[in-house]
Amino acid sequence: MPHLPIEERRKLFIDATIRVIAAEGVARATTRRIAAMAAVPAASLHYCFRTKEALFQAVFEKALSEGPTEAGRRVVEGMGLREGVAAIVGGYLDWMIFDRDAQQAQFELIFWALRSPSSRHLPKQTYWAFIDATIELLRRAQGEADGAVDLDMLARKVIAVFDGHAMQWISLDDSATKSVVENAIREIQAALPGGGLTIPAH
């Protein structure tokens, strides 16, 4: 294969890891299978990642890079929290639908990490990073009329909605997911100061 910069090879291995885990589970995500999926020699994998755990951590980091970025695409400074919640959840939903394998691999890796002493810190670290990123998006959206809102609690609700519906979508694979998510958005909006039910068009 042509020579690739190390960052390009790292991306190949991360994407291959996601596909292998989504299809076969963490236990079968051996370096041999991952290298075969990437169509890159296994020796190159060990050059890019010192251990398989480091590769799995890179999968978490990819999610942390992509998820909040997608969630923030529709967020406008000062748009208000009701519209901001809808924009953020909608962005996370788009990310979920665009890359189903990535969502499934994340769930698989969370439970693997919780059972692995050397990686047990990763789920907590990942969730705090998602919470912090979502708080920043909510802070960007917050308008003068919103009043005092516990953004930490609101961010956790937003992420809980996304996680729950991601699992439901992966399991059911039906067309009702968007409607169910929109209903959950309305419930969050109704609990905000001033109520109000607003879901921007996708």
Side-chain angles (χ1 to χ4, degrees), residues 89 92-93 95-96 103 107 110-111 127 155-174 176-178 180-181 184 188:
V89 175
Y92 277 132
L93 182 64
W95 175 52
M96 173 185 77
Q103 304 307 318
F107 285 125
I110 283 171
F111 291 108
Y127 262 95
R156 288 177 182 234
K157 287 181 180 179
V158 165
I159 293 169
V161 165
F162 167 69
D163 278 349
H165 289 87
M167 181 65 78
Q168 188 175 133
W169 179 71
I170 288 169
S171 301
L172 299 178
D173 193 21
D174 66 5
T177 298
K178 185 177 177 182
V180 175
V181 170
I188 294 175

Side-chain angles (χ1 to χ4, degrees), residues 123-142:
K124 181 182 288 187
Q125 179 179 300
T126 300
Y127 262 95
W128 276 121
F130 265 104
I131 290 167
D132 289 343
T134 304
I135 288 171
E136 287 307 308
L137 292 175
L138 291 168
R139 189 170 286 128
R140 190 197 309 169
Q142 193 168 22

Side-chain angles (χ1 to χ4, degrees), residues 3-195:
H3 174 74
L4 290 174
I6 189 168
E7 281 307 311
E8 290 299 315
R9 279 181 284 169
R10 284 175 60 88
K11 288 177 184 177
L12 279 176
F13 286 127
I14 291 167
D15 289 341
T17 302
I18 288 169
R19 293 196 299 275
V20 171
I21 291 174
E24 303 188 57
V26 177
R28 293 181 62 81
T30 63
T31 54
R32 186 186 299 273
R33 278 192 173 86
I34 292 166
M37 179 68 76
V40 175
S44 184
L45 190 157
H46 294 294
Y47 177 74
C48 294
F49 296 96
R50 188 171 56 84
T51 64
K52 192 164 67 172
E53 287 74 16
L55 175 55
F56 289 168
Q57 180 167 349
V59 173
F60 278 110
E61 290 167 357
K62 175 181 167 72
L64 286 174
S65 170
E66 293 180 350
T69 297
E70 291 302 317
R73 289 194 187 281
R74 302 178 192 156
V75 177
V76 176
E77 190 82 27
M79 70 192 302
L81 286 178
R82 285 180 290 282
E83 289 77 7
V85 163
I88 293 166
V89 175
Y92 277 132
L93 182 64
D94 287 346
W95 175 52
M96 173 185 77
I97 291 172
F98 175 75
D99 196 347
R100 175 180 176 149
D101 282 355
Q103 304 307 318
Q104 188 166 334
Q106 283 293 313
F107 285 125
E108 297 252 10
L109 280 172
I110 283 171
F111 291 108
W112 164 82
L114 288 171
R115 294 190 294 267
S116 304
S118 63
S119 300
R120 197 171 290 151
H121 64 287
L122 288 176
K124 181 182 288 187
Q125 179 179 300
T126 300
Y127 262 95
W128 276 121
F130 265 104
I131 290 167
D132 289 343
T134 304
I135 288 171
E136 287 307 308
L137 292 175
L138 291 168
R139 189 170 286 128
R140 190 197 309 169
Q142 193 168 22
E144 293 182 4
D146 284 315
V149 176
D150 185 342
L151 295 184
D152 178 87
M153 182 63 69
L154 183 56
R156 288 177 182 234
K157 287 181 180 179
V158 165
I159 293 169
V161 165
F162 167 69
D163 278 349
H165 289 87
M167 181 65 78
Q168 188 175 133
W169 179 71
I170 288 169
S171 301
L172 299 178
D173 193 21
D174 66 5
S175 59
T177 298
K178 185 177 177 182
S179 297
V180 175
V181 170
E182 288 178 348
N183 186 63
I185 290 171
R186 291 188 185 95
E187 291 177 353
I188 294 175
Q189 289 173 326
L192 291 169

